[in-house]
């Protein structure tokens, strides 16, 4: 399992404040993660950053 975290950064109209929106996707393969980031590369407006990390999976019976 992989976690894709995308953060969009934008500023207020007077440029005094900076805001962030964050979205997190969990996918089964790097191909799916790549598809998500490619979509943001193609359609996202403004500045954004992303990270892809491997999600630790718990063994049965563990929390």
């Amino acid at each position: 399992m992989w976690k894709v975290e995308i953060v969009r950064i934008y500023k207020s109209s007077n440029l005094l404040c900076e805001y962030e929106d964050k979205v997190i996707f969990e996918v089964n393969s790097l191909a799916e993660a790549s598809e998500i980031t490619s979509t943001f590369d193609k359609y996202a407006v403004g500045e954004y950053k992303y990270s892809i990390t491997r999600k630790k999976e718990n063994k049965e019976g563990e929390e």
Side-chain angles (χ1 to χ4, degrees):
M1 182 72 68
W2 296 87
K3 181 171 87 170
V4 180
E5 185 174 307
I6 299 176
V7 179
R8 184 175 72 114
I9 303 161
Y10 56 98
K11 296 181 178 165
S12 64
S13 59
N14 59 10
L15 302 176
L16 295 177
C17 295
E18 187 172 281
Y19 302 96
E20 291 186 354
D21 286 332
K22 183 188 294 185
V23 62
I24 299 172
F25 299 92
E26 291 183 356
V27 296
N28 292 318
S29 69
L30 282 175
E32 289 176 290
S34 178
E35 188 175 325
I36 291 169
T37 58
S38 293
T39 300
F40 274 84
D41 287 340
K42 189 172 183 180
Y43 297 108
V45 175
E47 181 182 344
Y48 70 96
K49 57 187 175 184
Y50 61 84
S51 67
I52 301 171
T53 55
R54 183 149 205 154
K55 186 178 174 191
K56 183 180 176 182
E57 295 184 28
N58 293 331
K59 294 181 182 177
E60 259 185 64
E62 290 184 7
E63 288 189 27

